Amino acid sequence: MEYDGVFPNVYSLCNVCLCVLVQTAECCGYPISIFFIVVNEFCERFSYYGMRAVLVLYFRYFLLWDDDLATSIYHAFVALCYLTPILGAIIADSWLGKFKTIIYLSIVYAIGQVTMAVSTIHDITDANRDGTPDNFTFHTALSMLGLVLIALGTGGIKPCVAAFGGDQFQEHQSRQLNTFFSVFYLCINAGSLLSTLITPVLRAQECGIHTQQQCYPLAFGVPAALMVVSLVVFISGSGMYIKTDPEGNIMWSVCKCIGFAIKNRFRHRSSRYPKREHWMDWADEKYDKLLIAQIKMVLKVLFLYIPLPMFWTLFDQKGSRWTLQATTMTGDFGAFILQPDQMQTVNPILILTLVPIMDRLIFPLIQKCGLNFSPLKRMTVGMLFAAMAFVSAALVQIEIDKTLPNFPSSSESQLKVVNIYNRTLNVTISPNEHLLIDSFEVQHTFRHTFSAISRCLFVNGWTADLNITNLDSIEPSATSNYTLVSHGKRDFVLRHGEQWCEFSRKFGFGASYTFLIPSTVFSTDCASIIEVEDMKPNSVHMALQIPQYFLITTGEVMFSVTGLQFSYSQAPKNMKSVLQAGWLCTNAVGNIIVLIVAELGKLPKQWAEYVLFASLLVAVSIVFSIMAYFYTYIDPAEIEAQIRKEQGLESEEKEKETLEMEEIDESQKNDQEVKQTKI
């Protein structure tokens, strides 16, 4: 069939009209497209925080790294997650646009989560089926690849999703736009809170093909599945989105202007050239004075950022050192059992509680008392609260250390001697140590705590092979491998041919036991099994960590929320992305400091490291308070107006402001009419 050229044009016009209708479709006054974005954000945050909640325990108890290495790699990952948003913002604003950037980096993100989940399957390399991977290099390499991809994905889309959601609203939907950002923030907190509660429970389950171990594949697999769901949901709404073209990234313009100023100043470093008021003034030969003035205001704020990384050094250790501290404590609250990595949920719960209390009660009360509690003073107090949190953590650690055995030094070893003979034995250990061991007794026992679970070992003193629940067959006069056992009562069935009996034991957090099986095991219906407690259960309760979480969260409310509000009030609106980049960099540097201290500090006691960090933050807060004392608050809008006046741009700006005010008045009028209709 041939067309005369009219029908294709009509067809194209219909397509355009259909796209416009779909993009402007609304539900309850909101664009339908934002519902896809909100669900996407919830799933993505669940994926990220769920994976991060169990990450340090995966390093410590699956890859069997020591506390320092597990902490270092954890904070290296977090630092990378705070650096990649800058890359994501540049890609979105200068090249791909927000929509494509979110799509492409979410695919990278999902691949990273799936890779991470696969790396936790111990059966892949467990050829001898003893529950321990035989090739740790494979699992380590796969997990590191997964973490790099996750960092690129989560960081890359971080600056794009909220802004892309804002693009979906029309000018007359300013009220709905504010509501959207509130719901968006709620989704972030909801995803964080739920995932931090759920994934530790999944980790504590037992799963495996050949041997039952802690279920890291499930704990990482669920976040991976949620990330795939997040991607599918976002793509599903692609036909409804308003997609804006890249408009250029202000950070790149700022960097070029600063670079030109430095280069030009270096070229004119001779004394014959007259000095200028500010080193940025050396850029006025090429760049607009307004841009230079705006950069000066930003640099003034960024200078105050220099001491800030130390706060994040302490704050982000909630997911590393504090979680590892919780593994040496008991989480039995009677009505429920709390996993060590679930203690992190205290932070988002307190955030949702303290933010309104601070904003509506504490800060107004301080103001009514006539005290000048300026933003910079709030940030200083926030630092001191974080320092007190680490003093509290040090006190808790001292109590924990009292319950731990004396561990051997790096030049020492410990020996366990088990007597499964039917009479007392005299054992001599060269050169001259003598041990008198009764029948079915253990001497010189030592085991280290293992997370929030227990371990047990069986010694077969019977005359034939024994099969025990979840264990391989144990030969006579041989021992089983150490078996990981969850908290609570556990039943073991011992079997040989037609003979069998059942043995039960209640296990506490972090305990270690050796069970000696005598030759009379079946005739006594397992009652003759002798239990040796190698290490006592954890006795310090996790509730003791609540004060340090309260202090660090109070510090976060005063420091983080106030810091961003202050930054945005002291710099031009078009420079918010630059300040956001600077703020994220302080977080990244803070995590790098933890990495350095963990690898190089090597303090003999953990409480001493907590005191060290607290002392450093107190010193930094003093420096910051001095810097804040000499800081002069400015009004960026006033400075910009003055420069525009000097450049003769005031009349144009006034005309623009008049038009904006007319639009605002019209919008307010429409909102008032809507309210009257509802009433």
Side-chain angles (χ1 to χ4, degrees), residues 234-426:
F234 187 78
I235 293 175
S236 299
S238 60
M240 303 180 187
Y241 299 138
I242 296 174
K243 304 163 189 173
T244 57
D245 295 327
E247 299 175 353
N249 190 276
I250 188 66
M251 285 188 290
W252 184 241
S253 300
V254 170
C255 291
K256 288 195 295 184
C257 184
I258 292 175
F260 180 81
I262 295 173
K263 185 170 62 175
N264 199 30
R265 176 67 183 90
F266 182 77
R267 283 204 306 260
H268 299 83
R269 62 186 181 276
S270 174
S271 58
R272 71 174 185 270
Y273 295 104
K275 292 184 178 180
R276 302 189 182 182
E277 185 179 353
H278 191 280
W279 63 270
M280 274 302 303
D281 292 332
W282 288 97
D284 63 4
E285 298 172 7
K286 182 177 180 181
Y287 291 91
D288 182 64
K289 287 186 177 181
L290 180 60
L291 176 63
I292 294 172
Q294 291 170 335
I295 294 175
K296 287 180 184 178
M297 289 184 272
V298 169
L299 291 175
K300 191 177 180 182
V301 176
L302 291 179
F303 176 71
L304 285 176
Y305 282 6
I306 294 175
L308 303 190
M310 201 64 218
F311 174 86
W312 301 116
T313 297
L314 276 68
F315 179 79
D316 281 330
Q317 290 189 60
K318 303 188 314 302
S320 57
R321 291 297 197 196
W322 286 11
T323 299
L324 292 172
Q325 182 186 64
T327 65
T328 59
M329 307 171 79
T330 176
D332 190 348
F333 283 81
F336 60 93
I337 303 297
L338 197 67
Q339 299 297 325
D341 29 2
Q342 284 182 312
M343 277 300 295
Q344 300 173 58
T345 58
V346 175
N347 176 248
I349 291 172
L350 287 174
I351 278 286
L352 295 174
T353 306
L354 289 176
V355 168
I357 291 176
M358 291 287 188
D359 287 342
R360 303 287 179 88
L361 183 63
I362 305 298
F363 293 154
L365 186 61
I366 293 174
Q367 190 174 8
K368 284 185 178 181
C369 293
L371 300 175
N372 180 22
F373 201 37
S374 64
L376 293 179
K377 289 180 181 178
R378 292 183 195 178
M379 294 175 68
T380 304
V381 173
M383 289 181 175
L384 294 176
F385 268 102
M388 288 190 290
F390 265 63
V391 173
S392 177
L395 294 175
V396 172
Q397 189 63 47
I398 290 172
E399 290 301 311
I400 293 172
D401 289 347
K402 292 177 182 178
T403 67
L404 299 179
N406 294 320
F407 300 129
S409 67
S410 58
S411 60
E412 296 176 328
S413 299
Q414 287 204 5
L415 176 68
K416 174 187 288 188
V417 182
V418 181
N419 179 12
I420 58 174
Y421 193 48
N422 58 7
R423 65 185 64 180
T424 302
L425 290 179
N426 194 341

Side-chain angles (χ1 to χ4, degrees), residues 116-133:
M116 190 69 200
V118 171
S119 76
T120 65
I121 304 175
H122 67 273
D123 290 300
I124 294 177
T125 62
D126 186 13
N128 58 4
R129 301 184 180 182
D130 64 350
T132 302

